[in-house]
Amino acid sequence: MISIRTALGKTPDLETEILLCHALKRTRTYLFAHPEELLSSEQWEHFQSLMAQRAQGIPIAYIIGEREFWSLNLKVNRHTLIPRHETERLVELALELIPNRPDTYVLDLGTGSGAIALALANERPHWHIVAADISQEALKIAKENAQSHKIRNVSFYLSNWFSNLPRRQYHALVANPPYISEHDPHLQQGDLRFEPQNALVSSQEGLADLQCIIKQGYDYLLPDGLILLEHGYDQKLEVQTILNELQYKNVQCWHDIQGNDRVSGGWR
C-alpha cells in the first residue's frame, strides 16, 4: 500500500479518497462521516485494483470514468480529452461576449466529451449548439453526457472540422483544438501520455489546426460573429497574427485562472 501511494500524483490523500469513494460507490461526505466502516473483501480488492491503475499513471478521470466540468459531471474515457478547469475560461468568455438572445447558433468544434457545448447549452437552453468531432467514439460519449443531463439543444455531427457540417452561419464559433507540437516533451508526461494524441497534437509547431479553424471559420460566422479559441500559453502572438491577417476585428487574448495566455479571439 505504501509503495502504491508513493506513485500517486501531487495530492495522494485526495486521490486515495476519490478512488475509495468510487470503490464504495459513496460520496466523500459519507466517507468522512463513517470512518469506522470496514470494507468487504470485494470492496478492498476493487480499491486495490483502482490504486494499482493509478500507480501506473492512468489518469483518475479515466479510472473512475468521469470528470466534473462547469458543475456538470461528465463521462469520459480514452477516446476523449479530460476536461480541464482552464477550458472553463472559454465557456465563461462565450457566456459573457455572445449576446444572450433566442435563436443564437453556436458551433463547438472538436467537442470531445461535449464539455464546452454542454456547458453552454445548459446555461443557455434557448441557444442552438452544434457540436462536431472527428471521432465517432468521442461523439458517443458526448451524446451520452447530453442525455444524462437532459440537455436537448445540442446537435452532434461527425465531421473533420467543417467537412460534414450543415452549410450555415453562426453567431459564434468556439473550439479547444489540438495545439501541442508533436515534439513537445510534455506529451510523455502525466495524463497526456494516456489521452488521445489526435486531440492533442497538431503539426506546424501546434498551429496547423488553429490556422485551419481561423481561416475556414470566417465564412461560417455571421457579420460580427465571434470566434474563441483555446491555445497554448506561448502561442498568443502566432494565433493573433493569423486572426489579424484574416481580418478579424478587435482581436484579443484572455488569461486563464493561472494567469496564462489561454484564449484568443475576434469578431468577423
Side-chain angles (χ1 to χ4, degrees), residues 179 184 186 230-238 253-256 258-263:
Y179 56 74
D184 194 314
H186 292 94
E230 179 172 331
H231 54 74
Y233 71 94
D234 57 351
Q235 293 175 320
K236 168 186 172 180
L237 293 179
E238 291 88 345
C253 181
W254 295 268
H255 293 161
D256 62 21
Q258 297 177 341
N260 295 317
D261 294 328
R262 184 60 61 193
V263 178

Side-chain angles (χ1 to χ4, degrees), residues 121-142:
N122 193 53
E123 293 285 345
R124 300 286 190 263
H126 50 280
W127 286 5
H128 305 281
I129 312 297
V130 173
D133 203 285
I134 195 174
S135 167
Q136 184 71 63
E137 294 86 356
L139 277 180
K140 180 176 182 292
I141 295 297

Side-chain angles (χ1 to χ4, degrees), residues 89-100:
R89 180 63 173 139
L90 193 153
V91 174
E92 185 178 66
L93 287 166
L95 294 172
E96 175 186 330
L97 297 172
I98 302 171
N100 186 13

Side-chain angles (χ1 to χ4, degrees), residues 39-188:
L39 277 65
S40 68
S41 58
E42 182 178 349
Q43 289 171 332
W44 175 251
E45 289 177 6
H46 186 202
F47 174 58
Q48 289 291 290
S49 171
L50 299 176
M51 291 287 284
Q53 290 179 63
R54 183 60 184 136
Q56 294 169 11
I58 299 174
I60 287 276
Y62 288 163
I63 296 173
I64 66 175
E66 60 187 33
R67 171 62 67 88
E68 183 179 331
F69 181 87
W70 200 264
S71 78
L72 298 173
N73 200 35
L74 301 178
K75 180 178 180 180
V76 297
N77 64 19
R78 295 195 188 207
H79 297 294
T80 69
L81 286 183
I82 299 169
R84 290 170 169 81
H85 292 305
E86 289 84 357
T87 303
E88 291 183 338
R89 180 63 173 139
L90 193 153
V91 174
E92 185 178 66
L93 287 166
L95 294 172
E96 175 186 330
L97 297 172
I98 302 171
N100 186 13
R101 293 191 288 257
D103 292 326
T104 292
Y105 280 82
V106 178
L107 174 61
D108 173 31
L109 291 175
T111 196
S113 64
I116 295 170
L118 296 176
L120 292 176
N122 193 53
E123 293 285 345
R124 300 286 190 263
H126 50 280
W127 286 5
H128 305 281
I129 312 297
V130 173
D133 203 285
I134 195 174
S135 167
Q136 184 71 63
E137 294 86 356
L139 277 180
K140 180 176 182 292
I141 295 297
K143 290 176 182 178
E144 290 178 5
N145 284 326
Q147 291 170 359
S148 66
H149 290 285
K150 296 180 172 57
I151 295 173
R152 298 182 176 87
N153 54 323
V154 181
S155 301
F156 296 96
Y157 290 86
L158 182 65
S159 181
N160 182 10
W161 299 136
F162 302 91
S163 65
N164 195 39
L165 293 179
R167 189 69 187 185
R168 65 160 300 123
Q169 290 180 304
Y170 299 84
H171 296 89
L173 187 166
V174 298
N176 176 19
Y179 56 74
I180 300 178
S181 168
E182 54 195 337
H183 307 297
D184 194 314
H186 292 94
L187 292 169
Q188 307 304 319

